[in-house]
Amino acid sequence: MTIAIGGKLPAATFKEKTADGPVETTTEQLFGGKRVVLFAVPGAFTPTCSLNHLPGYLENRDAILAKGVDDIAVLAVNDWHVMGAWAQSSGGLGKIHFLADWDAGFTKAVGLDADLSAGGLGVRSKRYSMLVEDGVVKSLNVEETPGQATVSGAAAMLEQL
């Protein structure tokens, strides 16, 4: 079952590369008592994710934060090395959180997993965005069209804030 607006995020632990090395970040640490925009991509370095989805959030970071958002995070079913390299190469390191859901545990728990084995990717996350307030989903935008980042993109999220 897919998480819905009004649902509480499940407890999970992500890995994230920081300037001091890898750290574990829990859902409680990231979302507890905060207003956070989370967006997820099928894979770091993939075309739509790298050329459209992530750049929109990096370019609109200040505008999103100005709307009362405390933090922005991107999630992918990749390991923390890949997410760290993506953060570094995109210029996003230290600007937004790059969360590695390495085993798809969180992604499966919220029901937003997708089997992309036919394309050689295995189990990944659907492309989506959500606004989370103190661990509760306030908006959820799941892309229905592969290769698109419109309903889950930064411009759409800005309109919802």
Side-chain angles (χ1 to χ4, degrees):
M1 186 164 112
T2 303
I3 195 159
I5 294 171
K8 183 150 179 63
L9 294 180
T13 301
F14 309 104
K15 287 210 182 224
E16 182 177 8
K17 184 174 184 176
T18 68
D20 298 325
V23 297
E24 289 190 345
T25 303
T26 66
T27 47
E28 179 58 33
Q29 290 169 315
L30 188 62
F31 301 106
K34 299 176 191 165
R35 191 170 188 231
V36 179
V37 168
L38 172 67
F39 69 103
V41 298
F45 291 108
T46 56
T48 302
C49 306
S50 291
L51 300 174
N52 184 351
H53 212 182
L54 175 62
Y57 279 94
L58 290 174
E59 291 165 10
N60 289 286
R61 176 184 175 269
D62 293 341
I64 291 169
L65 296 177
K67 297 273 189 176
V69 170
D70 298 301
D71 232 330
I72 302 169
V74 60
L75 176 141
V77 180
N78 287 113
D79 65 67
W80 68 268
H81 296 284
V82 170
M83 293 302 283
W86 197 34
Q88 187 74 40
S89 71
S90 68
L93 187 63
K95 295 179 181 171
I96 66 174
H97 294 276
F98 284 75
L99 305 174
D101 185 20
W102 69 92
D103 63 355
F106 175 83
T107 299
K108 289 176 181 177
V110 294
L112 291 167
D113 53 306
D115 185 354
L116 302 179
S117 296
L121 298 173
V123 174
R124 296 297 180 111
S125 176
K126 291 181 180 180
R127 184 181 311 281
Y128 66 86
S129 67
M130 62 173 69
L131 175 63
V132 180
E133 292 182 12
D134 195 22
V136 176
V137 178
K138 295 298 183 180
S139 70
L140 177 62
N141 313 292
V142 181
E143 292 291 342
E144 296 298 328
T145 306
Q148 297 288 316
T150 51
V151 301
S152 65
M157 179 56 71
L158 267 169
E159 290 178 15
Q160 295 174 13
L161 297 174

